[in-house]
């Protein structure tokens, strides 16, 4: 799997994880990710995120969303 595929795979895993942890639908999660540019954030931070576990990355995303004003 090349890097682009790995980034996409991580983005998909994290959309599902955030949806489950926040108790919102995948559609709501996708809309929030779009509004706050979370997919780009994941891509930009790939260098560090790919060596961390999903739970650690989830916490980073959560903090990022809070810093952007998301009501979570």
């Amino acid at each position: 799997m090349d890097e682009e595929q790995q980034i996409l795979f991580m983005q998909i895993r994290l959309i599902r994880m955030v949806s489950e942890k926040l108790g919102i639908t995948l559609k709501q999660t996708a809309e929030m990710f779009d509004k706050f540019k979370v997919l780009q954030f994941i891509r930009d931070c790939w260098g560090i995120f790919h060596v961390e576990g999903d739970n650690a990355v989830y916490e980073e995303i959560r903090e990022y969303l809070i810093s952007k004003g998301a009501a979570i």
Side-chain angles (χ1 to χ4, degrees):
M1 189 176 333
D2 69 18
E3 186 174 295
E4 283 298 314
Q5 291 171 318
Q6 290 179 46
I7 292 169
L8 178 61
F9 186 68
M10 176 180 274
Q11 290 169 330
I12 292 167
R13 277 195 332 266
L14 291 166
I15 287 172
R16 295 181 75 66
M17 177 183 269
V18 170
S19 173
E20 289 174 14
K21 287 190 179 266
L22 296 182
I24 59 177
T25 67
L26 288 170
K27 181 179 180 189
Q28 291 169 314
T29 306
E31 288 169 351
M32 180 174 54
F33 272 37
D34 185 49
K35 179 178 180 179
F36 294 104
K37 300 182 182 2
V38 178
L39 296 178
Q40 186 61 48
F41 175 67
I42 294 168
R43 177 175 294 285
D44 293 344
C45 296
W46 167 251
I48 190 128
F49 284 175
H50 83 282
V51 296
E52 294 183 341
D54 283 350
N55 285 321
V57 177
Y58 165 76
E59 289 300 324
E60 293 286 339
I61 290 170
R62 186 177 168 282
E63 291 299 318
Y64 171 81
L65 286 166
I66 289 169
S67 76
K68 297 295 183 184
I72 59 170

